[in-house]
Amino acid sequence: MPDRPDTPDADPTDAGLPLLRAAVARLAPVLPMLGELGDRFAAAGHELALVGGPVRDAFLGRVSPDLDLTTDARPDEILAVAAGWADAHWDIGRDFGTIGLRKGSHVIEVTTYRADTYDRTSRKPEVMFGESLEGDLVRRDFTANAMAIRLPSLEFVDVHGGLPDLVRQRLTTPAAPEESFADDPLRMMRAARFAAQLGFEVAPEVAAAMTERAGTLSMISAERVRDEFTKLLLSQRPRLGLRLLVDTGLADVFLPELPALRLELDEHHRHKDVYEHSLIVLEQAIDLEGPADGPEESVPGPDLVLRLAALLHDIGKPATRRFEDGGGVSFHHHELVGAKLVGKRLKAMRFDKETTKAVARLVELHLRFHGYGDGQWTDSAVRRYVTDAGPLLTRLHRLTRSDCTTRNVRKAQRLARAYDDLEQRIGRLAEQEELARIRPELDGNEIAAALGIRPGPVLGKAYDYLLSVRLDDGPIGPDAAREKLLAWWAARESER
C-alpha cells in the first residue's frame, strides 16, 4: 500500500493527505468524465458521489474495474439527467435503485441512496431510499468501503474512519458489527474474503461478532456463500481468510470438513497437523500456478480447481484415521473416501458439475504418485497414470508436488527427483505415443466387425479390453490387436 506508515503506531492522519493525493491521481483518467456527470446532477439539483470499492482501491494503489456512484436522485431522475450524455443505459436494477450507464468504454452504476431495513429471519431487504450520503454510508459493510468522493467538487467524505482503518490495515464496520451482521450475515463471509484479498486484520470486535453470529450464515443461499468463498480462495492470501472462517465457526456452517482437519494430536504426536498441512499445500500449489496469461499447460492462476483440490485433498483423513498396534497411525484409502466427500460437499455448495468432478478426481489421484517412489513403474503404469488423469494431468503434477511438506530435506529432495523422473518419462513416452489421446488400435466399427456383434454393452467391454491392451503393451498394430481381441472373445465365450 503506497505511503503507508512503516510502523503500526504511526498516526493514520499523518498518512491521510498524501494517500488522498495519490488516490485522486489514480482516479485522474476517469475524473473528467465523472466530473461532467457530476455537473449535470448538480445542475438538476441532485448530489452525486463516487463510493465504495473504486475509492478504496484508489487508496490501495489499485485500479478498480467498477465505477459505483450514489445519489439522492431517484431512478427516473437518474435516467433524465443521463439522457443525452450516456451512450447507453439499462435499468435491470431499477427496483433496487440502480441504473447502469455506459460512456465510451466505461460502465457506471448509479444507485439512489439506500436505507434498507431487513427481515432478520429471512435476510430479505425491504428497499427504502435514503436522503443523505452519510445515511447511505452507514449501511455499508466495512469502513474501508464507506468512503466517498463528492462530484464534481472532489470533496472526500469519510464519516466512519475508513481511511485510518486502511492505514492500519484493519477491517471494522460503520455500525456495530453485531447489528451489521444481523442485517446481512453474508457480510461475515465478506470480512473473511477482504482479509484474504487485502491482507487486513479483522478488528477484535468484528471477529467476536462473527463468532457469535456464525450460525446465522445458514440463512444465506448456498450460491451466495459459494461465490464469496470462491473469491476468497482465488485471492493472493487465502490462508488469512480461511483461518478466520475456521476460527469463528463460519466454516462449520458450509464447509465442516475443513475445521474437521484439526485432528487432535495423540500424546506421541504420531502424525502431523492435517489442517496446517492442508493450508501449506494450498500455498505451495498457488506458488506453482502459471501466470494469468500463460499457456494452458502452465495452469494459469488463479486456478479454482487446483486450489480446491489442494485445500481439500486430505478431507478423508478424519474418517480413516487408525492408531496401529506398533505405535503408528494410518489413513488407509483416505483419498477414495476424500473424493466422495469432496463430491458431496461441492455439490451441496452448488459448484458446477465439471468443477466438482475435476476436484474429486484430483483428490482421488493425489496419492497415486507415491507408488512411483522407487522409480520402478513400467511404461504401462505411466500410461495409466496419464490416462487416468486425462486433462487434469498438469494440475495433478502441481498438486502432487505441493503435497510434500516434510521438513526432512533429504526426503523432500528424493520426492522431487522422483517426480522429475516421472515427468521426464511421461515426456519421452509422449514423443513416441499420443499419450493424451490413447485409444484402442481398433475403433468401435472394427471391433464390431471382427466379433460380429452390434453396438451395446458387450461392444463396450470389448473396447475397454483393447484399451487395456494398448495401455499395457503400447502400440502393437491393428493386426496384433485383432488377434488379442479374438483370443479374449474366445476365452470369454468358452466361460459362458
Side-chain angles (χ1 to χ4, degrees):
M1 180 170 163
D3 300 315
R4 184 168 63 87
D6 294 329
T7 66
D9 296 328
D11 184 348
T13 58
D14 293 341
L17 185 57
L19 277 174
L20 180 57
R21 289 172 177 165
V24 172
R26 288 186 193 93
L27 291 169
V30 297
L31 285 181
M33 175 192 65
L34 296 180
E36 287 180 8
L37 188 58
D39 286 333
R40 294 178 72 96
F41 272 80
H46 297 297
E47 298 177 354
L48 185 68
L50 183 68
V51 70
V55 179
R56 177 201 67 219
D57 286 346
F59 281 110
L60 291 173
R62 307 189 311 188
V63 177
S64 175
D66 305 315
L67 289 175
D68 297 326
L69 306 180
T70 188
T71 179
D72 60 340
R74 300 309 194 245
D76 287 343
E77 295 170 324
I78 295 172
L79 287 170
V81 171
W85 179 84
D87 297 327
H89 74 271
W90 52 96
D91 60 359
I92 191 171
R94 177 194 288 266
D95 290 344
F96 294 94
T98 299
I99 299 296
L101 306 174
R102 182 174 60 80
K103 180 70 170 179
S105 61
H106 299 288
V107 174
I108 304 164
E109 286 194 348
V110 186
T111 301
T112 304
Y113 295 151
R114 295 274 292 275
D116 293 341
T117 58
Y118 291 87
D119 175 357
R120 291 183 176 179
T121 61
S122 65
R123 223 308 290 168
K124 294 181 178 179
E126 178 184 349
V127 178
M128 297 179 62
F129 295 142
E131 301 298 331
S132 70
L133 176 60
E134 290 74 15
D136 179 86
L137 296 178
V138 76
R139 57 164 288 277
R140 295 180 179 265
D141 51 8
F142 301 104
T143 60
N145 296 329
M147 300 182 293
I149 297 176
R150 291 187 185 274
L151 299 170
S153 66
L154 301 185
E155 175 193 351
F156 177 54
V157 180
D158 184 21
V159 293
H160 301 292
L163 182 53
D165 283 337
L166 276 183
V167 173
R168 295 190 180 102
Q169 297 189 332
R170 178 182 64 183
L171 275 178
T172 61
T173 54
E178 53 273 12
E179 290 295 311
S180 180
F181 298 151
D183 282 344
D184 186 357
L186 191 67
R187 288 173 174 171
M188 297 184 288
M189 289 291 296
R190 288 170 61 81
R193 193 243 294 182
F194 282 126
Q197 288 180 332
L198 304 177
F200 281 17
E201 179 182 359
V202 172
E205 65 273 16
V206 173
M210 292 170 67
T211 303
E212 177 185 347
R213 300 198 59 82
T216 63
L217 185 66
S218 61
M219 292 192 296
I220 304 299
S221 71
E223 290 83 359
R224 295 183 69 204
V225 172
R226 174 206 61 206
D227 290 346
E228 285 295 332
F229 177 71
T230 297
K231 292 174 183 177
L232 185 162
L233 196 60
L234 296 181
S235 68
Q236 292 183 344
R237 308 174 187 86
R239 174 192 277 260
L240 296 176
L242 293 169
R243 277 195 172 282
L244 190 59
L245 292 176
V246 170
D247 293 345
T248 59
L250 285 166
D252 289 303
V253 177
F254 72 96
L255 186 58
E257 293 82 1
L258 182 59
L261 294 176
R262 297 180 296 179
L263 297 175
E264 292 184 8
L265 295 177
D266 63 287
E267 66 274 16
H268 301 296
H269 293 267
R270 289 175 288 185
H271 65 85
K272 57 190 168 187
D273 185 330
V274 182
Y275 172 62
E276 284 296 328
H277 165 75
S278 298
L279 294 180
I280 294 172
V281 171
L282 172 60
E283 291 179 327
Q284 294 184 165
I286 291 172
D287 289 340
L288 292 177
E289 290 176 337
D293 58 352
E296 184 177 354
E297 59 270 19
S298 73
V299 187
D303 187 86
L304 178 61
V305 169
L306 176 60
R307 294 189 182 197
L308 282 169
L311 179 65
L312 304 176
H313 74 286
D314 274 346
I315 67 169
K317 280 191 170 180
T320 57
R321 181 171 65 159
R322 300 290 183 272
F323 293 113
E324 306 295 346
D325 293 339
V329 62
S330 66
F331 302 95
H332 294 310
H333 305 303
H334 78 268
E335 72 281 11
L336 302 179
V337 173
K340 292 180 180 178
L341 290 174
V342 163
K344 291 180 180 178
R345 177 53 55 194
L346 296 189
K347 181 179 180 181
M349 293 178 69
R350 303 294 192 269
F351 278 97
D352 62 272
K353 291 182 179 179
E354 183 177 350
T355 297
T356 300
K357 183 178 179 180
V359 175
R361 187 61 166 161
L362 285 173
V363 171
E364 179 183 351
L365 295 175
H366 83 272
L367 285 185
R368 183 78 66 86
F369 159 73
H370 292 281
Y372 187 80
D374 57 6
Q376 298 302 311
W377 273 12
T378 63
D379 284 351
S380 171
V382 174
R383 291 188 194 99
R384 288 184 180 277
Y385 186 79
V386 174
T387 301
D388 289 347
L392 297 172
L393 181 63
T394 53
R395 290 187 176 99
L396 182 58
H397 287 333
R398 285 154 179 78
L399 175 60
T400 304
R401 288 185 181 275
S402 301
D403 196 21
C404 177
T405 62
T406 178
R407 295 181 181 178
N408 185 318
V409 176
R410 289 186 178 181
K411 181 179 179 181
Q413 291 176 340
R414 184 173 68 252
L415 288 171
R417 286 195 299 269
Y419 210 88
D420 287 342
D421 183 70
L422 175 58
E423 288 200 56
Q424 290 168 7
R425 286 187 65 187
I426 290 173
R428 288 194 297 270
L429 278 174
E431 291 177 358
Q432 302 165 15
E433 312 172 21
E434 291 187 274
L435 286 186
R437 295 189 295 274
I438 288 182
R439 300 288 187 273
E441 293 188 270
L442 300 179
D443 63 25
N445 291 330
E446 292 169 324
I447 293 172
L451 301 181
I453 60 176
R454 294 181 178 181
V458 175
L459 179 58
K461 292 180 179 179
Y463 184 94
D464 290 341
Y465 168 72
L466 277 190
L467 178 59
S468 69
V469 169
R470 174 65 179 81
L471 291 170
D472 290 339
D473 299 343
I476 59 176
D479 292 339
R482 186 175 291 102
E483 290 181 12
K484 283 185 172 287
L485 174 65
L486 293 173
W488 170 82
W489 182 256
R492 184 177 183 277
E493 290 296 299
S494 66
E495 293 173 358
R496 296 181 62 180

